[in-house]
DNA sequence: CAGATTAATATGTGCATGCATAAAAACATT
DNA sequence: AATGTTTTTATGCATGCACATATTAATCTG
């Protein structure tokens, strides 16, 4: 049936997605080419292109030049997690945010840290440990190493009331980053700070940022037990 | 300086991103409008639009009609995690994948499961528990409830050698999904199956899929200790 | 017939243009 | 001054077209 009118790319996208989800177009199967779909939907090829490109980005379609477009055999669900600044995360839920600096020292980081940051083992860095609280309950524990060779200005900051994260966002240029999620058991001091039993399973987020070849900062966020990151599929 | 030539949208994107990262355009600040940028870069406005739209999708820019485009004050880092089929995840690392069904029963799920799936508390569902192994080492434990009212065909499947995930991908239409990541302590049976100490911190992925208003399946994947999900920022 | 060359084809992208839409700013009205 | 209306403006998007590029299919050649 020649469908009535798919005038904008979103409606084309919706229709294509519907066909994929209802298995009208089966996983792995080829779908008609852009020109044919444009005719069927009664719109321009670029509109179809926009819709299909967007679906390919989301992992629903595999596209290759000349080879054509096929439904992903393997819908690699791309879960997009928004890593907001913790203060905003908390305030958006209507809770009271507070921040508590636990430690601030100049010292030589453990070997795994200096290695990950690709700095000589004996390099002195700025270490900040702080607690983020929601409604006065521990929410996340932040442990951060800052490369003073890249961000010398950090040395003059107390980070007493302002989280290092927010300061760095504003002052430290960077070009790259990696992020990793994992689960770890709470150590003795971590358990105390987060007010949870030792050994509790904590959701951990590790971030490492680079400015060119130089590492800017390495941070681990340990969330209080029960923390979840959610997203639509 | 009138820059030499930004002929394609990716080079425009790179240049804009460079300006953001080097703080030439500061967080929260407005940037020139599309038309002006098009002139500066010597390309069409649609090319600039393509670049800026892409950066906005990635969370670097905030765009509003008429209001203009500004650098995100809050680079909500959108970490895009690829949730692949476990078999592929393992095989892509060059390891041997194997699958072991641990349990398959027809039973009434716990209350939290039937509630989450929005089904009457006494509804009988198909329960599958299976172990995914990499090089014969436990990799992830899958515990799944399948709504037989939506996917009746699952009742005839043994899921002895084929993971429920892959079977469902191929046979169950769906329209929606939620995914959540968290950390949990290994229970007694989980520890045994994953060959880890009881109480170990496990990375958990919970997925719930819907076909319209009806829940299709609810699955929890518990990964062996040490598991990480990584992504570029 | 194997291997290299060429043609055909689907997607990828750029451009110019025009109109749509949201929202701010200017203006008018009570 | 408070409120409602119009104008202006930046982004959003559809279209038609041309050309680029990656690949497959067809064809040629030794």
């Amino acid at each position: 049936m020649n469908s009535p009118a798919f005038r904008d790319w979103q409606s084309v996208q919706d229709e294509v997605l519907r066909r994929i989800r209802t298995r009208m177009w089966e996983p792995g199967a080829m779908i008609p080419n852009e020109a044919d779909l444009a005719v069927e939907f009664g719109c321009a090829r670029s509109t179809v292109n926009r819709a299909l490109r967007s679906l390919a980005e989301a992992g629903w379609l595999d596209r290759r030049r000349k080879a054509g477009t096929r439904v992903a055999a393997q819908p690699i669900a791309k879960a997009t997690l928004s890593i907001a600044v913790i203060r905003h995360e908390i305030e958006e839920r209507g809770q009271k945010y507070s921040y508590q600096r636990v430690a601030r020292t100049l010292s030589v980081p453990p070997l795994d840290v200096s290695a990950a940051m690709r700095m000589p083992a004996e390099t002195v860095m700025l270490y900040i440990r702080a607690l983020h609280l929601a409604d006065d309950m521990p929410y996340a524990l932040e442990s951060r190493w800052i490369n003073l060779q890249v961000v010398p200005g950090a040395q003059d900051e107390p980070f007493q009331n302002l989280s290092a994260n927010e300061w760095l966002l504003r002052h430290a240029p960077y070009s790259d980053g990696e992020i990793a999620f994992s689960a770890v058991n709470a150590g003795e001091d971590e358990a105390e700070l987060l007010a949870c039993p030792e050994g509790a399973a904590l959701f951990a987020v590790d971030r490492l940022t680079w400015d060119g070849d130089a590492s800017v900062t390495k941070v681990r966020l340990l969330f209080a037990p029960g923390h979840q990151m959610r997203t639509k599929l």
Side-chain angles (χ1 to χ4, degrees), chain A:
Chain A
M1 287 294 107
N2 195 341
S3 313
F6 294 98
R7 315 191 76 262
D8 56 28
W9 71 269
Q10 313 214 23
S11 63
V12 172
Q13 186 186 44
D14 289 348
E15 173 60 15
V16 170
L17 195 47
R18 191 187 64 78
R19 293 185 184 183
I20 295 172
R21 284 174 155 160
T22 59
R23 301 292 188 281
M24 178 174 158
W25 289 339
E26 293 179 16
M30 299 277 303
I31 74 172
N33 69 39
E34 293 187 350
D36 291 349
L37 285 175
V39 171
E40 183 189 342
F41 292 142
C43 64
R45 182 170 80 92
S46 34
T47 305
V48 174
N49 179 280
R50 180 86 160 79
L52 298 188
R53 176 169 23 99
S54 164
L55 286 169
E57 268 165 26
W60 290 101
L61 296 173
D62 283 334
R63 317 192 73 196
R64 276 167 54 221
R65 279 183 175 160
K66 159 68 188 173
T69 301
R70 59 180 61 235
V71 178
Q74 227 16 105
I76 290 181
K78 290 185 180 168
T80 306
L81 295 175
S82 311
I83 319 295
V85 168
I86 294 182
R87 180 161 62 82
H88 291 267
E89 204 171 302
I90 291 173
E91 284 172 353
E92 250 172 43
R93 284 209 307 262
Q95 295 183 289
K96 190 189 86 180
Y97 171 77
S98 41
Y99 171 86
Q100 220 176 295
R101 197 192 68 185
V102 176
R104 181 190 188 283
T105 60
L106 280 169
S107 53
V108 173
L111 277 177
D112 62 314
V113 171
S114 49
M117 295 178 78
R118 290 201 210 122
M119 295 295 288
E122 69 281 0
T123 313
V124 169
M125 299 193 190
L126 181 61
Y127 178 71
I128 307 282
R129 188 171 234 199
L131 206 51
H132 301 266
L133 303 103
D135 282 345
D136 298 315
M137 298 284 292
Y139 182 81
L141 175 63
E142 170 178 338
S143 308
R144 180 187 296 270
W145 292 93
I146 300 175
N147 188 345
L148 291 171
Q149 293 177 20
V150 176
V151 207
Q155 201 153 3
D156 305 321
E157 278 295 323
F159 299 115
Q160 183 71 59
N161 302 306
L162 173 70
S163 106
N165 187 15
E166 294 184 53
W167 186 88
L168 285 165
L169 271 180
R170 213 160 310 197
H171 296 89
Y174 68 103
S175 60
D176 261 308
E178 300 160 23
I179 192 161
F181 304 89
S182 58
V184 298
N185 289 103
E188 191 182 344
D189 52 340
E190 293 154 356
E192 197 185 318
L193 286 163
L194 286 170
C196 70
E198 195 176 334
L202 305 179
F203 192 84
V205 177
D206 288 279
R207 254 187 291 185
L208 182 52
T209 46
W210 300 85
D211 183 22
D213 290 336
S215 55
V216 177
T217 184
K218 184 177 193 308
V219 61
R220 161 164 277 193
L221 286 168
L222 292 176
F223 289 87
H227 184 78
Q228 280 196 335
M229 302 204 72
R230 314 173 139 282
T231 185
K232 296 262 170 198
L233 201 52

